[in-house]
Amino acid sequence: MPGLVTKAKGAYYAPNKSVTAEFAPPGTLLDSLFKLSPVPTLGSHLASNHPTMPETFYQRLSALDATFLDVESKSAPMHVGAALIFDAKPLTLEHGGLDIERLTRYTEAALDSIPRYRQRVEWTPGFGHPVWVDDDRFNMHFHLRHTRLPLPGDERSLKRLVGRLFSQHLDRSRPLWEFWLVEGVENDTFALVVKAHHCMVDGIAGVALLQALLQISPDAEEREPKQWQARPAPSRTQLLVNEASHRIDGLRKLSHFMPRVRDNIQGVSSVLRSGMKPTARTPFTEHDISPYRRFDWTSFALDEVKAIKKSLGGTINDVVVATTTGAVRRFLRRRGTEVDSMEGFRTALPVNIRKAGGLSVGNAVALLFADLPVSEPDLLERLKKVIRITNELKKESNQTGGAELIEEVADLTTKRLVSELYKAAMRLRTYNLVITNVPGPPMPLYMLGAQMKAIYPMVPLMQNQNLGIALFSYAGVLHWGFNADWESFPDVHEFVEDLNTSFAEYKELAAGRALEVSGGEETSARA
């Protein structure tokens, strides 16, 4: 069965690698989040100056991974995340609280398969390029934290807490992740709020850890943590010498890139042209956002999304984009913005450029940009325009090739090739909104017998961005997470209501169309 890995005692969820996302142009994937696996040794460095001395270890961050450290600021933390809701009963003790010791021990055992979560960032002297080294001070209790909602523990209180946790920066002197266990949530549930820096993973935070934690059976074997010891980090001199050698070798290898440069010059040009084009000025962009966040969510039955697609055309992602476009139109009109003649409201759609068999940690993404038809008042015409736009994006595979080439050249030389492009794009405000959609498992998953009821993903905000939208499908439900600036976007809940209204309109239109088709078929049959 695809997506199922059988252990000696019990089965654990593993990603179905055949799943692809419909935003992605030919040859790209958006299912990378469910391809994460233990960190390979490729690209890592093991060295020992004496056969009896322990080997030192470090692993160089890619230029794109390092960029997410560079663009982080006091008001724009660069971690991704999610809020997971679980049934609390299987993990509730006699006194009514969660079995925190058992959860801590079990989570630590999961780290054995994902070494990155026991590694911290070190900086190469002189060059300032980051590398991963084992954290010799690793403390599980620092990363797995515990809190409780005040009564009555309703959804509104949980959303406020999640927004506050997402506002807080991760400690760069330690492994860049946190998990928060939240007790006291209504309806006999608890929440697990996960955060991991974008330099570690692309998409939903901690998916590698979730893969290690979540099981397809409530009765799967409970694992125990293994003994772990940090490998020594190289000296500052070793890091300096190795980075200098890496860059010299990189300059030598650049000559081999000339054929690819010729083949991808149009793609590079397309990346620079679309990525440096200013967008429409709207309430979705801000000169400098605050350091505080609001987090909200909603969800739709996946069958209802598919029914709209079947009746009106397009793909699941086309329905997602058209629904979002309708919400944006409603929201802007309520804010007093003229939308009927608006052009250039641009959204960024992340796609994965990870090669099959390549490294399954870090980032391998490119951004495709689409102008949303927010000026279109007609529901069906709006969807048709979205379908045309996304079809064009799928044909523009040269954009992803160009982005990949830029990132590879930066890996050989300097990360500034990528980080300066990102910073320039932020200064120019090249997009209003990010929409990232990741397909998840169709079956229910469990942690120590506790069923995961829902998962609401979070995408971080860049310096001048007020709202980010992330989607994740799980067990027949499409979950939406909305990360918003606290000060500039206080009405994020109104936007969520606009989205719900937009989706309801498409459901009604699709149902009417389905009845028309059904009625026409019956008439033809009688004739």
Side-chain angles (χ1 to χ4, degrees):
M1 173 181 175
L4 178 64
V5 173
T6 303
K7 303 288 185 178
K9 295 181 180 179
Y12 293 83
Y13 173 69
N16 185 337
K17 298 185 180 181
S18 66
V19 178
T20 59
E22 294 161 310
F23 276 150
T28 66
L29 295 175
L30 254 183
D31 62 333
S32 63
L33 292 177
F34 283 85
K35 295 175 68 177
L36 290 171
S37 57
V39 178
T41 56
L42 180 63
S44 60
H45 299 261
L46 297 170
S48 176
N49 296 327
H50 191 279
T52 61
M53 293 177 63
E55 290 181 325
T56 60
F57 166 85
Y58 78 96
Q59 189 171 36
R60 191 176 186 271
L61 273 74
S62 72
L64 183 57
D65 293 347
T67 291
F68 288 110
L69 291 169
D70 285 353
V71 300
E72 187 170 51
S73 67
K74 289 182 179 180
S75 59
M78 282 291 112
H79 48 259
V80 291
L84 289 67
I85 313 298
F86 286 89
D87 177 13
K89 292 179 182 177
L91 289 168
T92 299
L93 299 174
E94 290 183 1
H95 56 61
L98 285 178
D99 192 341
I100 300 299
E101 290 187 9
R102 186 182 175 201
L103 282 163
T104 301
R105 186 173 63 250
Y106 186 76
T107 304
E108 188 164 16
L111 301 186
D112 293 331
S113 62
I114 39 174
R116 180 69 81 233
Y117 285 77
R118 286 190 175 114
Q119 295 169 359
R120 61 176 177 83
V121 170
E122 186 61 80
W123 299 88
T124 303
F127 294 99
H129 194 94
V131 299
W132 294 109
V133 298
D134 285 350
D135 181 21
D136 58 2
R137 300 184 304 148
F138 180 78
N139 184 340
M140 185 65 190
H141 297 286
F142 177 84
H143 297 278
L144 184 61
R145 305 180 180 192
H146 177 210
T147 189
R148 186 179 183 90
L149 287 182
L151 293 173
D154 57 11
E155 187 176 69
R156 185 171 182 269
S157 299
L158 179 59
K159 290 176 180 178
R160 284 288 179 95
L161 173 64
V162 173
R164 186 160 66 249
L165 295 178
F166 284 159
S167 303
Q168 300 169 2
H169 282 69
L170 295 164
D171 185 346
R172 288 198 179 188
S173 69
R174 296 178 179 271
L176 293 172
W177 66 277
E178 289 176 4
F179 274 40
W180 287 81
L181 290 165
V182 183
E183 290 193 74
V185 184
E186 62 183 357
N187 301 322
D188 287 324
T189 60
F190 74 93
L192 178 63
V193 181
V194 301
K195 297 165 55 179
H197 202 282
H198 215 327
C199 70
M200 290 176 62
V201 292
D202 46 11
I204 291 181
V207 168
L209 187 51
L210 296 182
Q211 178 185 332
L213 283 174
L214 300 180
Q215 309 149 0
I216 64 170
S217 167
D219 302 316
E221 178 190 19
E222 185 171 339
R223 295 161 291 186
E224 294 291 331
K226 299 176 182 177
Q227 187 175 5
W228 178 83
Q229 183 174 354
R231 294 161 291 187
S235 68
R236 290 172 59 82
T237 301
Q238 283 178 301
L239 288 175
L240 176 62
V241 170
N242 288 350
E243 181 64 20
S245 175
H246 174 88
R247 298 198 181 199
I248 292 170
D249 289 343
L251 291 173
R252 293 194 186 107
K253 293 175 182 177
L254 284 182
S255 60
H256 301 299
F257 276 76
M258 292 313 297
R260 286 189 58 198
V261 171
R262 287 192 296 269
D263 294 340
N264 288 280
I265 190 65
Q266 186 178 358
V268 172
S269 175
S270 179
V271 168
L272 297 177
R273 195 168 54 248
S274 62
M276 297 295 123
K277 180 181 174 183
T279 190
R281 298 297 297 270
T282 73
F284 288 83
T285 55
E286 188 70 21
H287 177 67
D288 192 11
I289 60 176
S290 80
Y292 310 111
R293 299 291 176 266
R294 299 175 189 266
F295 192 70
D296 212 324
W297 60 65
T298 191
S299 60
F300 304 143
L302 200 54
D303 283 344
E304 293 179 342
V305 181
K306 293 177 179 178
I308 295 173
K309 176 193 76 166
K310 181 179 179 181
S311 177
L312 304 181
T315 65
I316 289 176
N317 284 314
D318 291 333
V319 175
V320 165
V321 174
T323 300
T324 304
T325 304
V328 169
R329 177 180 170 83
R330 282 179 169 274
F331 182 84
L332 289 177
R333 292 185 69 181
R334 190 173 56 254
R335 281 277 194 112
T337 303
E338 168 58 42
V339 294
D340 290 334
S341 59
M342 178 177 286
E343 295 181 357
F345 186 97
R346 190 169 304 117
T347 184
L349 306 174
V351 297
N352 197 297
I353 54 176
R354 195 184 308 276
K355 289 183 172 65
L359 292 178
S360 54
V361 292
N363 292 267
V365 297
L367 293 181
L368 299 183
F369 298 94
D371 287 358
L372 302 186
V374 295
S375 61
E376 178 54 63
D378 183 82
L379 284 171
L380 187 56
E381 283 303 311
R382 190 186 305 147
L383 176 59
K384 288 179 179 178
K385 288 182 178 180
V386 164
I387 293 171
R388 287 197 293 270
I389 291 167
T390 56
N391 283 340
E392 286 300 315
L393 284 179
K394 292 172 187 177
K395 296 175 184 177
E396 292 181 10
S397 56
N398 60 342
Q399 268 199 44
T400 57
E404 185 177 4
L405 180 61
I406 292 171
E407 290 168 18
E408 288 186 22
V409 171
D411 283 335
L412 293 174
T413 54
T414 172
K415 60 185 172 68
R416 293 188 63 183
L417 288 176
V418 176
S419 63
E420 291 302 320
L421 283 176
Y422 267 71
K423 291 175 182 178
M426 286 191 293
R427 287 192 298 269
L428 292 171
R429 296 186 181 90
T430 58
Y431 57 89
N432 300 91
L433 185 65
V434 171
I435 307 174
T436 176
N437 185 8
V438 177
M443 78 289 283
L445 300 179
Y446 302 84
M447 181 172 66
L448 292 175
Q451 182 177 343
M452 186 169 74
K453 300 290 189 179
I455 173 170
Y456 301 104
M458 185 275 286
V459 61
L461 303 182
M462 291 295 184
Q463 187 67 40
N464 52 11
Q465 183 188 356
N466 280 339
L467 179 68
I469 301 176
L471 297 91
F472 189 83
S473 58
Y474 163 66
V477 179
L478 187 60
H479 296 88
W480 300 62
F482 304 85
N483 188 29
D485 178 47
W486 179 274
E487 294 180 358
S488 302
F489 218 83
D491 44 357
V492 61
H493 190 67
E494 283 75 10
F495 179 84
V496 175
E497 290 178 344
D498 291 334
L499 188 95
N500 290 334
T501 300
S502 179
F503 185 70
E505 289 175 338
Y506 274 111
K507 276 175 48 179
E508 184 178 357
L509 178 62
R513 279 300 186 95
L515 284 174
E516 289 177 11
V517 171
S518 176
E521 290 176 349
E522 288 180 8
T523 302
S524 298
R526 291 194 200 100

